[in-house]
Structure formats: C-alpha cells, structure tokens
Amino acid sequence: MSPITPYTYFQCPCSDSALFRPGDGSPSSPKNRDFGDEDGAFDPRAPRANYSLYPLEYLLYCEDCHQIRCPRCIAEEIATFYCPSCLFEVPSSNIKSEGNRCTRSCFQCPVCIAPLSVTSFETQPDPNLLGAQDHSAAHHGGPYVLNCSYCNWSSTETDVKFDKSNGIHGQLAKQRNGGTTRLTAKERKERRKELVQSGGSAQGSGHLADEHGIDMETQFANLKHFYQTQLSSSTSGGSGFSGLGELGFSSPTSLSRIMSIYTGGGSLHDKKSKSRIGNMREALEGDEGLIVANLDESAAIEKLRSEGLEGTIDMEQLQNQPPNLGEPHLHGRTRFTSELRPIPYLLRTKRSKRCPVCRHIISKPEAKIQTTRFRIRLIAGNYVPSITIRPLVLPGSSGFIQHPDALLQPLRPIQYMLTFKNPIFETVKISLATPSRTPGRFASKVTVLCPQFEIDANTDVWDEALKDDNRRKRKGEESGNPHQQPEVGKIWERGRNWVSVIVEVVPASLRVDLLEAPEEEGEEEGEAGEKPKVKREVDRSPLREDEDLLEIPMFVRVEWEVDAVGEELGSSRDKETKEKRELAYWCVLGLGRVAQGN
C-alpha cells in the first residue's frame, strides 16, 4: 500500500442536470443549497464522481455563464485537419473522398510505427566513371523504396518499389504485394468501354479479371455494373423498373419494387409482370462480381511451419493496417509480417470548444498548423481560486510531524494548512462548508477553523510593496509570532493574493469490529408525531478497494464585485456601480491513505 501526496479535485456542474437549466431556481443549484444540509453533500466515493472530478488544470471557464466546464461537457468543433508528419492542411472535402489518412508521402513503419523515409533502391554510380562529367550521372532517378531507420524494415520485403520519390500514396495504391500492378477504377471503366465499343460484352469476357484474382474494389465495381445492366435491360423491356441513373438502389421506389420481386405482391402479381421479372438474374461469372470462396489454406499452413509464430502479426499490427482495396476478398487478409504494408499517417485535428449552455467559444486554436498557440483560451485557473493542501508544521514543535507522503494514523488528530490563491483583480469572499463526518463506512471527523474569509485582489507586486506592512503578510493577530497556535475563526497566514486556513482531521479506524450501526429515521410516527430513530444493519465486509483513502468533500462559494457594464452602466449616472457575482462548486481534498491494523 503506497502513500499518496495530498491533492485537490474540482467538480464540474455538468454532473447535475438541473444546472443546465438557467434560472430554474431548483434546490439542487449550488446557489440554493444550504451549507448546513449534510444530506445533500457530495460523495467522492460514488461511481458518478469518477466522471465529474478533475484537477484545476483540466478545466475551462465560461465568462457568460460564470461556470466551470470540463472536457466531458464542452461541445467540440473541428477547425482544421492536418498531417502530423508534413504539417500539410487537408481540406474537409478531401476527408470524405480520400479518407482520414495523409495522401502524400508520409508513412509509418508497420512493425515499430517509426516514420519511413524515401530512399533510392540502387546505389549511385561512381562519379569517376566515364559519362559522369560534372557529376551529371551521379544522381540516380530510382527505383525508390521506403526504409525504417529504427528497425531496418523496408518495402522491399513485400517487393514494392516506386518509380518516383513523390506521390508515394498514389503509387502504393496501384500495387499489390509482390510488385504486381492492379487496375484502378478509372482504368477499369475505360477498358469496359473499349469492350463495349469493340462489339464484345463486359459479362463473360474474362478480360477484366486478372490472374491474381478479383480484389474488393474490383468486385464491387463489377457488381455495380452488372446490376446497372440488369436494371437498364428490365426498363427497356417495359417492366416498369427505373434505372440506377434515375433513382439508384437506395431509392424507396427501387427498394419496394425489388422487394415485390421476391414477395410476389403488388402490381407485379400478374402473369405478364412475372414473365418480365425473369429477365433479372444473379451474377454467374467473375466479371459480374461472383467470387467462389477458396478454402484451401495449405499455402498458409506451410508458410506458418517455415516462419513460425514469430512470423505472424499481432492484433495491434492488424488494426493499424489501413484497408487495402487491392487485397483478395475475405480469405486473403494479412496474417504474416512479410505481408505488412506501409501505414499512412492518420490525420490530426485542431478543435474549438464551446460552452454547452450558451454556445460561446471558450477555446479556439490558431488556424496556422505550425503554431500551438490559442486565439481564445479561457482556463479555469485564471478565474477560480486555486486550492493547495499540506500538513501543518509548527516551528519548534517537538511532537508528531506528519510527512506529506506518510500514512495517516487512525484516531490521531492532524492539522492541515489549506491555501487559497486569488487569480482575479478583485477582492473575493470565500465561504467553506464540509460535513462533520466524511461519507462512507469509515467516517472521519473534519473541522474547518475559519470557514469564511476574504482574499485580496491579484494586484501588481510593486503596488503591494507601497502598502502597509500589515497588509503584505501577517500571521493571525501578530506577524511573525513563533508561538502562534491555530485558533477558531482566525486565518493562519495571509499574503498578497492568498490566504491559508487550518483544517483539523481525525482519521477513522479501519477495524471492521469497531463499526457502529448508523441511525436513521423510521417510517412510522410515534405518539408525539416524531419518527423514532432506527439503527441500520452494520456492513462488516472486508476492506474494499481505495476504502482506506481519506477524501474530504468541501463546498466552496466565491463572491466578488465587478464594475457594471452594458445597459446597467449606461442607464445609471453613477459610474461606480458594482455588480455582484457568485461561483459555487464542490471540491475534494485528498489527504492520503489511513494505516490499517490499528
């Protein structure tokens, strides 16, 4: 059981759905909650709390709603797409047509995910040889391959080479493993037109299927052309079918008519319609889109015997492989490391973030890809007072001193110093509230000695130096008192824009046999009209996970005044009109783990 350094988490109000209805006046709103209501205290052990607690650095702030916003509740909008390797901005229209990967010469190694470099496959000739005057023959033009400088993987392992050093993505799409080329969609369409013009038929000709089999893209193109021809022939026969060019397969009319073919209902129930339906048939050849499953795995088994288990790819490598439209359908998936292909870089995005309630932008990055700056960035740390907690160490104390990373001793009072730092340029008033006992089976006692105090504005350091010494730094009533002791209702230490108060905690014992039965009100009323106290059954099960972690829920209310702006300032003659603002939220103070066995 390792110790834990004290931490502070803030709760985002998005976990309470009532907070998203502005001005509803519901009791669940932080402004309407009573500090003394312990029944509505936030429970950091609840499963829902795992999705609403964040460090202050993770949170944003909305200036219009005056509320904290977390990464879960903000609305994100994609600003730009770009490649992380070449930093080239990709238009959003290309994402739908070309996918979410870089279409230039940016690739990753399929084995170690390192970046691949384009190098010439053949060595450069010796410039001292004949015909190399002025080193004109020293520059070779190819072929080119992709090499990994980390694991020495090369595209030559799959016999893939390139004629040019640029446009690698387009050249790779035209090649299969082994260096053989495949027909693109444009070339396939031109060949089909040539067959039709020469008097032949695209179906049954056998010219569009090569010796390497039909890949997925070719099969889809063949099926699409086959059904286009079937629909056009049915339309010319007067059966009432509409062609694909007019309505398409996704049209409701086409779908209803196709369903009528197999159900026999509707206007197609007569004999004439049935005779016309006979013109529709299924694909019978490879050029029509028919693929016969090849279940012969003898070649793969023989390869597995020769290369062993080390020659096969794992699940992560298989998932990183992009869809290869040139591979055989279904039974030709990549299963060996010798069949891995280079991985194009996945595109990244820059996103702007909006408030989920008022839809105002709270974070917007720069449009330029090369910069990491933001145009708008409303960080919660610039508006919400930060909270730090650490054990109190009295000067000259010879008693027990709690180390920040040590385990907490049960039933031994410990004092912590809670420091609030004001980031805004206005004086704020802080009100704190904590339950007298922490929630859970093992309830620890918590006492805040000074629950209300004020923090000075975050003014300039030089302005603070011109003020009185008593305003700069003082401890309690007397500044620099070495024998100062924590007192109820008094702050411990004050600075330019920060204040420290004392929190006293008595950790509970983790012994199950010492648990007492909690009392709750019964359902039936007594003679005096009051509900009697009923003791619940004690849960004496073994210690659960993280049940020894001492976390204190604390409700914080921040109040300050700002200069009125807009209509209020224009309608009032007094230019010193102030507007009151308030921010209320829950936070969790993690003190550490309680020692067991005492």
Side-chain angles (χ1 to χ4, degrees):
M1 183 176 58
S2 60
I4 294 180
T5 304
Y7 58 86
T8 304
Y9 288 159
F10 293 76
Q11 186 213 16
C12 179
C14 67
S15 59
D16 191 352
S17 59
L19 298 181
F20 282 90
R21 299 191 298 269
D24 59 351
S26 61
S28 60
S29 177
K31 296 183 180 181
N32 300 326
R33 289 178 181 171
D34 186 9
F35 278 175
D37 186 11
E38 295 187 10
D39 296 334
F42 177 73
D43 187 5
R45 301 180 182 274
R48 192 177 183 180
N50 296 331
Y51 305 96
S52 61
L53 294 176
Y54 296 89
L56 187 61
E57 296 80 11
Y58 284 59
L59 300 175
L60 299 175
Y61 185 82
C62 180
E63 291 183 335
D64 296 273
C65 300
H66 307 294
Q67 283 293 343
I68 299 173
R69 300 301 178 209
C70 69
R72 291 185 66 252
C73 65
I74 56 177
E76 293 186 347
E77 296 178 357
I78 297 178
T80 54
F81 293 88
Y82 68 96
C83 173
S85 179
C86 61
L87 298 181
F88 181 78
E89 183 177 354
V90 181
S92 58
S93 57
N94 293 7
I95 303 299
K96 297 181 180 180
S97 59
E98 300 177 356
N100 61 339
R101 293 185 180 268
C102 182
T103 57
R104 307 182 79 192
S105 301
C106 305
F107 287 88
Q108 291 177 289
C109 176
V111 178
C112 63
I113 318 298
L116 298 178
S117 58
V118 182
T119 58
S120 179
F121 178 66
E122 296 182 2
T123 58
Q124 297 182 358
D126 189 358
N128 298 325
L129 297 178
L130 295 177
Q133 291 84 359
D134 300 330
H135 303 280
S136 58
H139 300 282
H140 200 272
Y144 298 92
V145 295
L146 292 173
N147 287 328
C148 176
S149 59
Y150 184 79
C151 66
N152 296 327
W153 182 89
S154 176
S155 60
T156 56
E157 296 185 10
T158 55
D159 295 333
V160 175
K161 302 176 185 178
F162 310 98
D163 298 331
K164 298 182 294 184
S165 60
N166 54 357
I168 301 296
H169 187 275
Q171 299 180 62
L172 183 63
K174 298 180 182 180
Q175 296 189 38
R176 290 189 175 96
N177 290 346
T180 58
T181 59
R182 72 182 188 90
L183 296 177
T184 61
K186 185 177 180 180
E187 294 174 348
R188 193 182 303 107
K189 188 175 182 181
E190 292 177 354
R191 288 196 180 186
R192 186 175 283 109
K193 286 184 179 180
E194 293 176 358
L195 289 174
V196 175
Q197 292 175 0
S198 62
S201 176
Q203 284 83 12
S205 60
H207 293 286
L208 298 180
D210 52 19
E211 65 275 7
H212 298 281
I214 301 178
D215 53 39
M216 292 185 290
E217 189 178 28
T218 305
Q219 183 200 14
F220 178 78
N222 292 344
L223 284 173
K224 181 179 179 181
H225 182 268
F226 170 74
Y227 285 113
Q228 281 180 344
T229 307
Q230 291 290 308
L231 287 176
S232 61
S233 61
S234 300
T235 304
S236 61
S239 62
F241 290 103
S242 61
L244 181 65
E246 299 177 0
L247 295 177
F249 286 113
S250 61
S251 172
T253 307
S254 297
L255 292 176
S256 61
R257 291 176 179 177
I258 291 174
M259 291 297 296
S260 300
I261 294 176
Y262 297 98
T263 57
S267 61
L268 302 176
H269 196 60
D270 55 337
K271 296 181 179 180
K272 295 182 179 180
S273 299
K274 289 184 178 179
S275 62
R276 294 166 185 168
I277 295 171
N279 296 329
M280 296 288 293
R281 64 180 180 86
E282 300 294 341
L284 300 177
E285 298 181 2
D287 290 339
E288 298 175 353
L290 175 65
I291 293 182
V292 180
N294 183 15
L295 303 180
D296 186 11
E297 299 286 348
S298 58
I301 295 174
E302 186 65 26
K303 191 173 184 179
L304 180 60
R305 289 176 179 175
S306 60
E307 297 185 4
L309 187 61
E310 294 78 10
T312 59
I313 62 175
D314 53 16
M315 187 60 65
E316 184 178 0
Q317 292 177 341
L318 181 61
Q319 292 176 353
N320 291 333
Q321 283 288 304
N324 182 17
L325 300 179
E327 65 182 357
H329 186 62
L330 292 179
H331 303 285
R333 299 289 297 179
T334 302
R335 289 177 287 187
F336 297 92
T337 55
S338 58
E339 301 174 355
L340 293 175
R341 295 169 65 88
I343 305 173
Y345 267 90
L346 277 172
L347 299 179
R348 303 296 191 268
T349 58
K350 281 191 171 185
R351 305 188 182 190
S352 59
K353 302 177 181 180
R354 294 180 178 270
C355 175
V357 179
C358 64
R359 306 298 298 175
H360 280 77
I361 296 178
I362 56 180
S363 177
K364 185 176 182 180
E366 287 280 355
K368 192 175 181 181
I369 304 301
Q370 289 77 8
T371 181
T372 57
R373 295 178 297 181
F374 287 84
R375 289 186 178 180
I376 303 174
R377 184 73 169 173
L378 305 181
I379 304 175
N382 297 335
Y383 300 89
V384 181
S386 61
I387 305 175
T388 57
I389 185 170
R390 58 189 179 91
L392 176 64
V393 179
L394 297 176
S397 176
S398 59
F400 172 76
I401 298 178
Q402 175 70 28
H403 192 269
D405 296 338
L407 296 177
L408 305 179
Q409 299 301 322
L411 306 178
R412 178 178 293 181
I414 307 174
Q415 293 179 342
Y416 285 86
M417 185 168 59
L418 197 63
T419 303
F420 290 79
K421 188 174 182 180
N422 180 21
I424 63 177
F425 300 102
E426 306 290 341
T427 302
V428 298
K429 180 181 179 181
I430 305 293
S431 300
L432 307 178
T434 58
S436 58
R437 291 179 175 271
T438 58
R441 285 197 303 169
F442 307 98
S444 302
K445 297 181 180 180
V446 182
T447 304
V448 181
L449 300 187
C450 185
Q452 293 184 353
F453 51 90
E454 289 187 358
I455 308 178
D456 296 336
N458 185 17
T459 56
D460 192 5
V461 178
W462 296 107
D463 294 340
E464 184 67 21
L466 299 177
K467 295 181 181 180
D468 189 23
D469 294 340
N470 294 332
R471 297 281 313 267
R472 283 183 293 173
K473 186 178 180 180
R474 60 180 181 270
K475 289 186 177 181
E477 295 290 338
E478 300 178 2
S479 177
N481 183 11
H483 303 288
Q484 180 187 1
Q485 296 293 331
E487 298 182 17
V488 178
K490 294 184 179 181
I491 63 174
W492 175 255
E493 193 174 1
R494 180 187 296 272
R496 178 173 57 90
N497 63 328
W498 56 272
V499 168
S500 298
V501 296
I502 303 301
V503 178
E504 187 173 291
V505 181
V506 181
S509 177
L510 301 182
R511 293 178 55 180
V512 182
D513 55 341
L514 298 180
L515 288 176
E516 298 181 357
E519 294 183 354
E520 60 180 8
E521 293 183 354
E523 298 180 357
E524 299 180 358
E525 296 184 358
E527 299 179 355
E530 297 181 356
K531 295 182 179 180
K533 297 292 184 179
V534 179
K535 289 189 177 182
R536 293 186 301 176
E537 186 177 352
V538 181
D539 184 9
R540 301 187 184 276
S541 59
L543 198 66
R544 305 185 184 95
E545 182 181 3
D546 288 339
E547 203 168 13
D548 58 338
L549 187 61
L550 179 55
E551 292 181 331
I552 302 175
M554 177 176 291
F555 189 76
V556 183
R557 177 176 293 172
V558 186
E559 300 174 351
W560 72 97
E561 294 182 353
V562 297
D563 296 333
V565 294
E567 299 179 357
E568 297 181 3
L569 182 60
S571 60
S572 177
R573 296 182 179 179
D574 188 5
K575 296 183 179 181
E576 297 182 356
T577 304
K578 295 290 185 178
E579 178 184 357
K580 291 186 177 181
R581 291 184 180 178
E582 179 182 340
L583 175 64
Y585 55 89
W586 282 96
C587 67
V588 175
L589 308 177
L591 304 184
R593 296 188 181 275
V594 182
Q596 303 180 17
N598 294 328

